[in-house]
Amino acid sequence: MTQDTRLDIPPVRPDGLQLNEPRERQRRYWKVQRIAWWCFGLVMLLAVLGFTGSGGFFHKQRVQFAAATVEVPRVSRWEGSDDMSITFTEPTGTHRLVISQPFFDRFMIERIQPEPETNDLAPGAQVMTFSAQDDPPHQVNFDVRAMHFGWTGFDMTIGGETRRINLLVLP
């Protein structure tokens, strides 16, 4: 029994190459590859702008109250350190801050500078009071660490005004 070892020689194409390959499959592969590169570029742009946490122009969101300005991250990273700052602009002797429980379900506070004078538990929230001297502005900084990932929203109350703050914690 003899085996045919003769190779089929592909014809010469009009461009001068002697190839026999499925060009349509290669074109589909190149198209998918280009789409993947555009998606990768978009993810890189989002990261540079700060939409993936840890820096960038859009990393922080600013929430305005009548008596204060709060800077909170838009996007945080799971088990990554982040900071939140509150600048009180009202000239009072005591500043009162109320943060609802969903914040504490998602985040752990590592440090508060300066420490609150009192920290009381209220139904579904924690109430912190800070004594102030001299003229405003007075600033309070929180170092926080996200303990769970996902979308979270919590309420913050300063000077009788309540604002809803939403942020995303990425894994």
Side-chain angles (χ1 to χ4, degrees):
M1 179 153 126
T2 63
Q3 201 172 23
D4 188 14
T5 58
R6 190 177 60 138
L7 297 174
D8 286 335
I9 298 174
V12 176
R13 298 186 329 196
D15 61 3
L17 294 175
Q18 192 171 6
L19 297 173
N20 187 15
E21 64 179 24
R23 296 289 291 173
E24 195 53 43
R25 183 173 38 165
Q26 187 67 34
R27 283 191 180 101
R28 280 194 311 263
Y29 176 74
W30 288 336
K31 190 179 292 186
V32 168
Q33 192 176 31
R34 283 187 203 110
I35 291 170
W37 276 107
W38 277 102
C39 291
F40 177 70
L42 179 65
V43 168
M44 292 300 296
L45 179 65
L46 290 174
V48 167
L49 291 176
F51 288 111
T52 59
S54 298
F57 185 71
F58 293 105
H59 173 65
K60 296 271 186 180
Q61 60 180 314
R62 183 170 283 176
V63 181
Q64 287 292 130
F65 291 85
T69 301
V70 179
E71 284 191 11
V72 182
R74 291 180 200 275
V75 179
S76 187
R77 300 298 294 215
W78 177 39
E79 294 198 10
S81 292
D82 226 323
D83 65 327
M84 177 174 75
S85 66
I86 302 170
T87 305
F88 294 101
T89 56
E90 190 174 280
T92 62
T94 303
H95 299 292
R96 187 170 185 263
L97 170 68
V98 181
I99 302 175
S100 66
Q101 189 59 40
F103 176 82
F104 298 101
D105 292 341
R106 184 80 59 187
F107 288 94
M108 172 180 69
I109 296 178
E110 294 180 328
R111 182 178 75 104
I112 303 174
Q113 184 63 35
E115 298 232 359
E117 190 174 283
T118 64
N119 190 353
D120 299 319
L121 295 176
Q126 286 191 28
V127 180
M128 298 176 211
T129 56
F130 299 91
S131 62
Q133 298 175 358
D134 298 328
D135 293 331
H138 304 117
Q139 188 165 9
V140 176
N141 295 313
F142 291 81
D143 290 334
V144 297
R145 182 178 300 270
M147 300 309 294
H148 305 286
F149 55 87
W151 184 260
T152 190
F154 60 94
D155 293 326
M156 185 178 286
T157 304
I158 297 174
E161 278 184 275
T162 301
R163 298 272 188 271
R164 182 78 174 169
I165 300 173
N166 296 305
L167 60 97
L168 176 65
V169 179
L170 296 176

